[in-house]
Amino acid sequence: MIGGHRGNPAQHPENTLRSFRSAIEVGCDLIECDVHLSSDGRLVVIHDHTLERTTNGKGLVRDHTAAELRRLDAGHGERIPLLQEVVELAIGKVGLVIEIKQVPIQYPGLEDKLVAMLRQLGAIAECAVVSFHHPSIRVLREMEARLQLGILEGARPIDPARMLKESGADVFSPHWGAMDPQLVKEVHGAGGAVGVWPVDDDQAVAWCKFCKPDSVFTNRPVEIGAALRS
Ligand code: G3P
Ligand code: CA
């Protein structure tokens, strides 16, 4: 499966509704977004903990209310979406991979709010939640058995199957360069799936064709999707 990483950021401002709509239009099977909590406890979609790189705001996301965040320009006049808007856009069209940004800043209670929202929208079956913060993934597994969960990883661990078991995750999701054929075999042997990121150039495409992960997340879904399918 091809995943639009932050939507289709090669063509539109990352993590905006315009970017996600475009990723769906160009044929992505999945879209990936990054989630934080505003100061008034709303789930909002933006990558960084700080506002400067992708908006005209300043400071930490967590120090602003959702209303303040939504007044900012997230690129080309787009707004920072609420997660609910992204779920409503994706549901019935593509799978949604929600990365919860629990490192380095922690958002106590984020997991409860997320599960409550996905249940209310009837979206549990169409979403996966992933994180570099593996304890959060284990908390989510204890809360909701039906939710697909993934652990993000930057290095090649000794025993990825054990990491899946310990966290209760279904998907092992490393940087593409930390994947190898043996890792894919071990994860599949444990009943898991492998999803890699960010596959943005020919070298990464070639490695994915060799290792055969289950899903590939890219910032260039048009070109990389075509290269992976060829
Ligand atoms: O899908 C995983 C990947 O998005 C993690 O890295 O920093 O791009 O959110 P980052
Ligand atoms: Ca991400």
Side-chain angles (χ1 to χ4, degrees):
M1 289 190 285
I2 309 289
H5 187 243
R6 311 180 196 176
N8 179 7
Q11 297 180 334
H12 302 282
E14 68 176 53
N15 275 317
T16 61
L17 290 178
R18 192 195 297 190
S19 184
F20 297 125
R21 263 188 224 108
S22 171
I24 295 168
E25 282 163 16
V26 303
C28 288
D29 308 292
L30 306 167
I31 54 176
E32 185 261 2
C33 67
D34 302 287
V35 170
H36 297 252
L37 275 188
S38 62
S39 62
D40 53 344
R42 305 293 299 276
L43 294 155
V44 293
V45 176
I46 180 169
H47 181 270
D48 299 358
H49 282 277
T50 49
L51 295 165
E52 282 81 349
R53 182 180 64 85
T54 58
T55 79
N56 58 347
K58 285 195 175 94
L60 292 168
V61 174
R62 71 166 182 189
D63 291 340
H64 295 75
T65 64
E68 287 166 350
L69 292 170
R70 285 165 69 73
R71 281 198 285 276
L72 301 175
D73 187 339
H76 301 175
E78 289 292 299
R79 301 289 150 191
I80 293 175
L82 296 174
L83 178 60
Q84 178 162 345
E85 296 176 291
V86 181
V87 175
E88 287 169 347
L89 174 71
I91 204 162
K93 300 189 193 80
V94 284
L96 176 61
V97 177
I98 300 164
E99 180 182 349
I100 53 172
K101 287 292 188 194
Q102 290 284 47
V103 284
I105 294 172
Q106 306 265 298
Y107 294 106
L110 184 150
E111 295 86 358
D112 296 277
K113 285 177 191 293
L114 176 58
V115 169
M117 193 198 74
L118 295 179
R119 283 180 183 154
Q120 194 203 341
L121 296 174
I124 292 279
E126 294 182 57
C127 296
V129 181
V130 303
S131 188
F132 284 107
H133 192 262
H134 301 181
S136 285
I137 296 301
R138 197 170 64 187
V139 165
L140 285 164
R141 173 54 70 230
E142 283 158 14
M143 289 170 64
E144 177 50 82
R146 298 169 299 158
L147 191 55
Q148 192 164 108
L149 297 170
I151 45 175
L152 299 172
E153 177 58 61
R156 200 310 185 184
I158 293 168
D159 192 347
R162 183 173 164 189
M163 289 176 73
L164 283 179
K165 196 171 169 205
E166 283 176 350
S167 59
D170 313 285
V171 183
F172 189 79
S173 192
H175 184 277
W176 69 265
M179 166 181 64
D180 56 56
Q182 179 62 22
L183 180 141
V184 175
K185 194 174 160 192
E186 287 170 22
V187 171
H188 285 170
V194 178
V196 294
W197 45 270
V199 175
D200 289 339
D201 58 27
D202 293 346
Q203 192 186 7
V205 167
W207 193 239
C208 287
K209 285 186 171 181
F210 181 63
C211 296
K212 299 187 171 43
D214 302 280
S215 52
V216 163
F217 293 85
T218 176
N219 293 299
R220 302 173 58 213
V222 174
E223 297 87 346
I224 299 297
L228 283 166
R229 290 184 188 105
S230 70

